[in-house]
Amino acid sequence: MTIYRSTRILLAGAALSALSSQAFALDGQDLLKKLNAAFATGGTVISADSVEVSGEDVLLKGVKFTVNGSTDSPLKLEQLTLEGVSEEDGGAYYIDRVEFPEVDMTEEKSTFSISDLYLAGVFIPGDVNATGIDSMMFYEEAHSGPVNVTVDGKQVFSMNEATGTMSLSEDEKTISFEGSATAIKADLTVVEDPKSKETIDALGLQTLDGNLSMSGSWEIDSGTIDIEDYSVDFANIGKLSLSFGMSGYTLDLVKQMQEQARTMQTDPKNEQAQQAAGLAMLGLVQQLSLINAKVRFEDAGITKRGLDYAGKTQGTDGAQMGQMIKGMLPILLAQAKLGALQNEVSTAVNAYIDDPKALTILAQPANPVAFPMIIGAAMGAPESIPALIGVKVTAND
């Protein structure tokens, strides 16, 4: 009798456990629906032939990514694995990891492969119309492993790894982000056009080898974006670095711009609709203001090779070509109507040509300047722009 009673209790417990797990099981279709709602802001529709749920994992099979208004074939994936899925407050979802299958494509004489693709720490909003950060799709890390492209069996492009990370401040008011791509390599010896090949050889650009990096932050409420650094650095060429800050890029503005982008994608052949959406987009951009901007190039040999090649095409050498540019520069700058900045630019460019190390262009206005003011000045009084946005040009600093 004791054994019989114990068996009944165990069976009842097992049944209750099964019922409870079914009651709290993930709704795969609801997850796909909300994933689609988040992606819809970019005009993309995700479909799947089947959605399978196993505990905290969701498997999407026969996945297609289709861009609204596009005539291109949809991007197809055999499957998409969502690991560690949990439902959050407000119907949102959190996914520990989204695993993408390896890509290995061959088309005629070309092959393309990419592996180790995943997203980690993905937040899918329960309502894209909610206020603040709760309406945004968010991920903590995006990762790509090696990328390889070959033509006729010869590798023409490769990349070792690319990563991107985002983090939310404790008060959920600022998103910080970083990204990098390492060991980017390209083989330009495969270029067949004779004139292009001549230029590539003269500039020593047969192979490219470099890295990309970027970092910045976004204050969501104020709409202040600070791109601290966006750099592309190639060996034997140089490093190009950009940074800028602007205000007014609020979440509301982002959504309005996405809506206009969707309108333009929906009916790309309707010129009237495209023009109207384009004007609306320009109107939205007018809400932005420039805080600062900086462009800097650090030479690693390309300037001398460029002057040598330009001089050769003119029947002279690089040194003489540099002197010719220095002589022509004041005339060109006078036509540009740069006002008082003209002498500063001439001094900086002359110093750079004589000893090419670095050239920097900086915009540092005393107060943020609205983009409509900059556009208006460019159209009506271009000579006022340097003073308006505080432009400075320096060399070798």
Side-chain angles (χ1 to χ4, degrees), residues 49-121:
D49 293 339
S50 66
V51 181
E52 300 177 4
V53 177
S54 176
E56 294 183 345
D57 298 340
V58 177
L59 181 64
L60 307 179
K61 291 186 175 181
V63 181
K64 298 183 183 69
F65 292 82
T66 305
V67 178
N68 285 331
S70 173
T71 57
D72 296 334
S73 300
L75 173 64
K76 298 179 181 180
L77 298 178
E78 183 177 339
Q79 66 182 40
L80 199 59
T81 305
L82 285 61
E83 302 174 352
V85 182
S86 59
E87 190 167 2
E88 307 289 300
D89 294 338
Y93 288 94
Y94 181 83
I95 307 171
D96 284 339
R97 192 178 178 94
V98 180
E99 287 280 356
F100 293 82
E102 293 187 3
V103 176
D104 194 353
M105 301 171 54
T106 300
E107 184 175 342
E108 296 182 351
K109 298 180 180 181
S110 302
T111 65
F112 172 80
S113 66
I114 181 170
S115 60
D116 201 15
L117 284 168
Y118 65 82
L119 294 174

